[in-house]
Amino acid sequence: MKIAVTGGKGGVGKSTIASALIRHYSEAGRILAADLDVDNPCLSSMLNMNRPYKVEDAETFKPSIVAAKCIGCHKCVDACEEHALYGLEGSAPTLYDQLCSGCGACKLVCPANAIEDDRKVLGQISWYNRGNITLIEGRITPGEARSPIVARQTALAADKEYSTGVYKHLIIDTMPGVANPVAQALLIAEKVVAVTEPTLLGIHDIMLTLELSDYLGKTVGIVINKADISREHLIKLRKICAEKDVKIIVEIPYSRDILFTSVSQPPGDELKAYVRRIASWLKNTKP
Amino acid sequence: MAKTIVVLSGKGGVGKTTVSSSLAYLYSKDGTGIVAVDADVDAPDLEYFLGGGKLVKQVSIETSDKAFIDPSKCIGCGRCVEVCIYGALTMHGGKAKVEKIMCEGCGSCMYVCPTDAVSLEKHSGGLITVKETRYGFKIVTGRISLGEHNSGKMVSVARTEAYKIAQAESLDVIVVDGAPGIGCPIIASITGADYVVAVVEPTKLSYQGLTRLLEVVEHFKIRAGIVINKYDISDEWTGRITAYTMSKGYQLLGQIPLSHEVVEAMSQMVPPPEYNPRSKVSKSITGIYREIRRVIEA
């Protein structure tokens, strides 16, 4: 089964739940994990994995303009939606590297075959292993902006690895928000666990997550973390879930123990019990 | 010219909005002309804290083009599916189909299509609103449509709107509440800014987020200071963060203790320094505000 853990707002406990689920499943078989929070991947730290056994560059196309072949027509300049190519008509254009998205439109429109393939490295995809768990982690290089591409390549790598059939489950941890990198994760998942907290911000952001999952046609279950920090907002959250016919799988109370436990430690018995309930929901719910 | 202060964190949920709403509140309380910007366009929440009320302006923004396929012209050759680096195109029943939220509008599919079945159409990717807060100053909120990718552009448009307001009303400070992460929207929120306030909590994950954020900040050569939130939950990590801050030559702006009062202030939707100005949390935030103010004016 392919499961995405998401939730909208940052710091609600996405990675805590994802890593606890991964540890839970790994007790009974081989598990594949994917960290698509490419801006700030956390799972390797949380699963106590220190050194990747394989690192690949996440890279994209960038044009290399062969001045000798260029006829100066500037069709590529007009085609570039990112305005990454500029210069005087009649001469070969210059590439502003940072704006290039690597889409390849320039190469497709060039009538003189003057554009050749060059590569631009955006980040790394790292492979870790510990016991029954294999982790594929996307990590963008600080200063690079194109998180969606790194997230997509990580998602594709994970999907391909999962298709080998040696893993029982694939668990994907996502970025906060509902932008493209989150959509990339939800797209390959069969079921979605959305983590939130009873605050106005948590409610606001979980609504966006539900909208996105609905758009993508995914089955969602909600985990309310820190459920006891506000009675008023907890009631609101329950009401919203009832109205939208979305299942609240568990409500986990705020725990100072979690706060003071090192992130690399396995979850305590209390959290383990909640995670078993999440796993049982995942098992008994149709995609 | 108005100074732009951007509040960021790398990791999410460590207290960006708590700090930025407090900064905006304290600046305005002291009589400084300010405008606030919510640059977390994926999940904008700042206006709730500041009591965004009367709508001053609302503009829909076309952030991107989207590919559109004319099924009567599509011959199902699949060349568009091959060239799309975003995975936005798939084949369905012998025809190409665009997954709209994945499409970045680059046009590659259009250029490669042998039958001219693909066209690009303007797409409304988001909404900019300007509201008046309960404190009288304005807040500009960028909000991106579902699953949209072009959040950097939304951030730039929101910042430009705030800049125009600051010019027209001769304001002194623009407070920007940023998004979590270090990618496109963060880069768009710090380019040309005067100061970055990096919020961190003493955990390994937040520390990692901070170091990655500061690499980006360094890359763009912006001045920055650090705020340690919930500093008392780990002596070890507070110590490490302090040492790291010093070694990198950044200023430690202050530390905020762990307190349930922040949660209470949040449920009331007011910045902590207004909720209870005499609490320890509020005193530390006020100290941080004064320090930022001093550094910006220097």
Side-chain angles (χ1 to χ4, degrees):
Chain A
M1 184 171 25
K2 296 190 267 191
I3 303 150
V5 182
T6 189
K9 188 179 167 337
V12 293
K14 287 181 294 300
S15 303
T16 304
I17 297 297
S19 61
L21 254 182
I22 293 163
R23 285 182 192 264
H24 167 81
Y25 282 130
S26 73
E27 286 169 10
R30 286 192 66 183
I31 297 300
L32 184 63
D35 198 339
L36 257 61
D37 186 358
V38 300
D39 282 10
N40 282 300
C42 285
L43 280 185
S44 57
S45 294
M46 302 187 90
L47 296 169
N48 217 354
M49 293 166 151
N50 301 320
R51 198 168 295 147
Y53 66 87
K54 181 165 94 179
V55 180
E56 286 170 354
D57 282 335
E59 48 178 30
T60 181
F61 161 86
K62 87 174 179 191
S64 161
I65 298 162
V66 184
K69 286 192 193 169
C70 176
I71 55 171
C73 70
H74 277 214
K75 281 192 175 152
C76 56
V77 177
D78 297 337
C80 181
E81 286 284 327
E82 305 288 337
H83 309 294
L85 291 163
Y86 62 98
L88 295 172
E89 208 159 327
S91 61
T94 307
L95 174 73
Y96 184 55
D97 211 313
Q98 283 215 310
L99 290 180
C100 176
S101 71
C103 73
C106 50
K107 190 180 170 184
L108 294 169
V109 296
C110 179
N113 281 324
I115 296 183
E116 290 178 356
D117 287 14
D118 195 357
R119 307 301 290 175
K120 174 165 139 178
V121 175
L122 302 176
Q124 274 77 41
I125 297 175
S126 305
W127 301 60
Y128 300 81
N129 192 274
R130 190 186 174 91
N132 266 342
I133 305 168
T134 298
L135 168 69
I136 303 180
E137 169 201 84
R139 185 181 286 265
I140 197 168
T141 305
E144 286 295 340
R146 311 228 170 240
S147 315
I149 298 179
V150 181
R152 171 166 162 75
Q153 292 185 5
T154 313
L156 288 178
D159 213 21
K160 192 175 163 205
E161 180 67 21
Y162 185 69
S163 69
T164 58
V166 301
Y167 304 97
K168 279 187 83 173
H169 301 292
L170 166 62
I171 319 268
I172 311 157
D173 193 18
T174 75
M175 272 191 181
V178 286
N180 184 293
V182 177
Q184 300 278 3
L186 299 203
L187 262 177
I188 59 170
E190 291 155 291
K191 288 173 201 168
V192 176
V193 174
V195 187
T196 187
E197 61 180 28
T199 59
L200 194 63
L201 312 191
I203 294 173
H204 173 262
D205 295 1
I206 197 74
M207 301 275 279
L208 298 172
T209 300
L210 290 177
E211 216 182 307
L212 179 65
S213 327
D214 195 38
Y215 175 88
L216 297 173
K218 303 291 174 181
T219 307
V220 194
I222 305 275
V223 171
I224 304 181
N225 196 12
K226 312 174 203 173
D228 48 351
I229 60 171
S230 161
R231 180 89 196 143
E232 179 197 345
H233 290 104
L234 178 65
I235 291 166
K236 264 189 205 157
L237 256 180
R238 286 179 180 158
K239 213 176 131 199
I240 288 165
C241 290
E243 276 166 13
K244 293 193 171 281
D245 198 20
V246 179
K247 167 83 178 163
I248 296 172
I249 314 169
V250 281
E251 294 178 0
I252 305 175
Y254 179 76
S255 154
R256 288 179 73 94
D257 286 350
I258 292 184
L259 192 63
F260 289 98
T261 308
S262 157
V263 291
S264 313
Q265 294 295 315
D269 289 342
E270 205 191 355
L271 183 56
K272 268 187 181 167
Y274 288 114
V275 167
R276 275 197 296 275
R277 280 167 62 189
I278 299 172
S280 122
W281 177 82
L282 284 163
K283 190 179 165 189
N284 297 321
T285 308
K286 287 199 190 96
Chain B
M1 208 171 80
K3 301 274 192 195
T4 302
I5 304 167
V6 191
V7 183
L8 293 170
S9 71
K11 185 184 177 315
V14 300
K16 283 182 298 302
T17 307
T18 305
V19 169
S20 55
S21 64
S22 299
L23 276 182
Y25 163 73
L26 291 167
Y27 260 118
S28 86
K29 193 169 148 258
D30 278 355
T32 306
I34 74 147
V35 55
V37 181
D38 196 337
D40 185 358
V41 298
D42 260 7
D45 303 329
L46 182 64
E47 66 174 46
Y48 295 122
F49 268 95
L50 298 173
K54 197 180 120 199
L55 187 68
V56 180
K57 187 177 172 184
Q58 182 163 326
V59 210
S60 144
I61 305 293
E62 288 173 343
T63 55
S64 59
D65 291 335
K66 295 278 174 192
F68 174 80
I69 292 172
D70 180 347
S72 69
K73 287 188 187 168
C74 176
I75 53 168
C77 69
R79 292 186 66 189
C80 54
V81 178
E82 278 165 37
V83 297
C84 181
I85 61 163
Y86 303 105
L89 287 147
T90 46
M91 295 300 286
H92 275 274
K95 303 272 179 192
K97 180 179 167 254
V98 182
E99 191 67 72
K100 247 172 57 184
I101 65 165
M102 312 286 278
C103 174
E104 298 235 353
C106 72
S108 288
C109 50
M110 180 174 78
Y111 300 123
V112 82
C113 178
T115 59
D116 283 332
V118 190
S119 54
L120 288 183
E121 289 180 0
K122 283 270 173 251
H123 179 77
S124 167
L127 202 63
I128 297 280
T129 58
V130 181
K131 285 185 183 171
E132 216 171 86
T133 62
R134 71 169 84 90
Y135 310 107
F137 62 84
K138 294 193 177 78
I139 174 164
V140 182
T141 302
R143 183 181 289 272
I144 200 158
S145 311
L146 201 58
E148 270 290 323
H149 59 89
N150 221 335
S151 39
K153 183 163 177 183
M154 281 301 293
V155 172
S156 303
V157 177
R159 279 187 59 195
T160 307
E161 188 63 40
Y163 181 74
K164 280 192 217 152
I165 293 170
Q167 286 256 305
E169 301 178 13
S170 308
L171 305 176
D172 299 315
V173 175
I174 302 173
V175 175
V176 183
D177 186 21
I182 60 167
C184 188
I186 283 71
I187 292 171
S189 52
I190 63 170
T191 40
D194 296 279
Y195 198 75
V196 168
V197 177
V199 185
V200 61
E201 58 181 28
T203 62
K204 186 177 178 185
L205 305 182
S206 183
Y207 171 76
Q208 286 171 347
L210 176 76
T211 57
R212 285 167 67 72
L213 173 67
L214 291 179
E215 272 185 65
V216 178
V217 169
E218 238 163 67
H219 187 91
F220 291 94
K221 300 185 173 60
I222 319 275
R223 289 200 300 159
I226 280 79
V227 171
I228 308 182
N229 193 12
K230 314 174 196 164
Y231 77 90
D232 41 356
I233 64 171
S234 164
D235 289 345
E236 183 201 344
W237 285 101
T238 292
R240 282 207 198 186
I241 290 164
T242 308
Y244 173 80
T245 304
M246 302 297 188
S247 74
K248 286 279 178 183
Y250 291 108
Q251 190 186 356
L252 193 59
L253 295 163
Q255 302 181 334
I256 305 169
L258 173 72
S259 162
H260 200 261
E261 207 171 84
V262 176
V263 181
E264 286 162 30
M266 270 176 79
S267 352
Q268 301 300 314
M269 281 296 118
V270 289
E274 191 193 5
Y275 181 70
N276 178 4
R278 276 199 290 269
S279 71
K280 263 168 93 178
V281 166
S282 299
K283 280 182 183 156
S284 59
I285 294 178
T286 307
I288 289 162
Y289 152 71
R290 292 215 180 96
E291 196 51 33
I292 293 171
R293 196 182 170 114
R294 191 185 64 78
V295 175
I296 299 285
E297 282 167 9

